[in-house]
Amino acid sequence: MNCRKLARFLSAKPLLIAALFCLPAHAAKKQVIGFSQIGAESAWRSAETESIRSEAAARGIDLRFSDAQQKQENQIKSIRAFVAQHVDAIIIAPVVETGWEPVLREVKRAKIPVVLVDRGIRVSDDSLYATLIASDFVEEGRRAGDWLAKKLNGKGNVVELQGTTGAAPALDRKKGFEESIAKHPGIKVIKSQSGDFTRAKGKEVMEAFLKAEGKNINAVYAHNDDMALGAIQAIEEAGLKPGTDIIVVSIDGVKSAFEAMVTGKLNCTVECNPLLGPAAFDAIEAALSGKPVPKKTIVQDNVFDQEAAKNAIASRKY
Ligand code: GZL
């Protein structure tokens, strides 16, 4: 049994630990961890929640879960509640980059370690959190841009569906995409607007783009698969063929995106791995035992086009 499996096995058996070390039963108490999740806005988000919930269960951890419905004030409220419950550690998926210093200073005063997953924050004092476990969103944007530039042979009009305003993945995926297409003066972003990472809003914004620009649109770049799938619906309802009349490229790599690539409606997705549970709890273990934790752990991602999707779809985990 390797170390991680042993840790998971033992942490799920607090009484066994007590017996092994001749401690009174109450001494080996269950670890209590608060998880402030953004919401359930996308298939990616649900996969991330499932990864953290199932890993907590496998490790015998008492996970206190709160869904913020994509509102920062709800996240701040739940973080304060976790402090009041004297949890052992807090996991946060921060909906936006700014506005976290005051509440994180309260958590630091309570000596509770914080692990950030999937999105980063801007703070003047990075001791306010132990580590960030996330993908490199700028690189994801670059990869989407490079793939699209090649597909369009360096020429075409693109409309962009941005993620949640102020969120790290939205800011950085836009930045990376712009860096990449700057190398191709023939490619122009003619419209760009937030679809808030949801399928419904992605469809609504794409409908407006089609009304304004119609056949002038050669491609759509969506910051996540859910908005891309909404855009695909809008393109079909406008009597056009997604994946052919309008090229569609997005980010996340969820199962429904692979299904859309197999049917030819989506052309490419850049993976953004949501299965962050094991790394998050390993980081908490290290932080609680005073071991050094790297400030940022980058999750590796791959790019999938329609050919790659046909070969990979059967083995996808989310
Ligand atoms: C990325 C994550 C983003 C996904 C979206 O780490 O924060 O939020 O790309 C999700 O699907 O809504």
Side-chain angles (χ1 to χ4, degrees), residues 136-143 172-173 175-177 179:
D136 179 341
F137 303 131
V138 177
E139 180 56 24
E140 289 173 344
R142 287 193 199 103
R143 289 180 177 183
D172 289 354
R173 287 169 180 170
K175 179 166 177 274
F177 186 79
E179 271 178 24

Side-chain angles (χ1 to χ4, degrees), residues 246-260:
I246 295 182
I247 301 300
V248 186
V249 57
S250 68
I251 299 175
D252 274 354
V254 295
K255 180 72 92 167
S256 45
F258 277 73
E259 289 158 354

Side-chain angles (χ1 to χ4, degrees), residues 38 40-45 48 70 93-95 117-119 133-135 137 140 164 167-170 173 196-198 223-227 251-252 254 272-274 276:
I38 290 173
E41 74 281 2
S42 64
W44 188 98
R45 183 68 50 205
E48 182 192 52
Q70 287 192 269
V95 60
V117 290
D118 118 56
R119 294 185 185 179
I133 300 162
S135 290
F137 303 131
E140 289 173 344
T164 302
R173 287 169 180 170
D196 211 12
F197 284 131
T198 67
H223 289 187
N224 82 329
D225 294 335
D226 289 67
M227 293 191 292
I251 299 175
D252 274 354
V254 295
C272 175
N273 192 329
L276 306 178

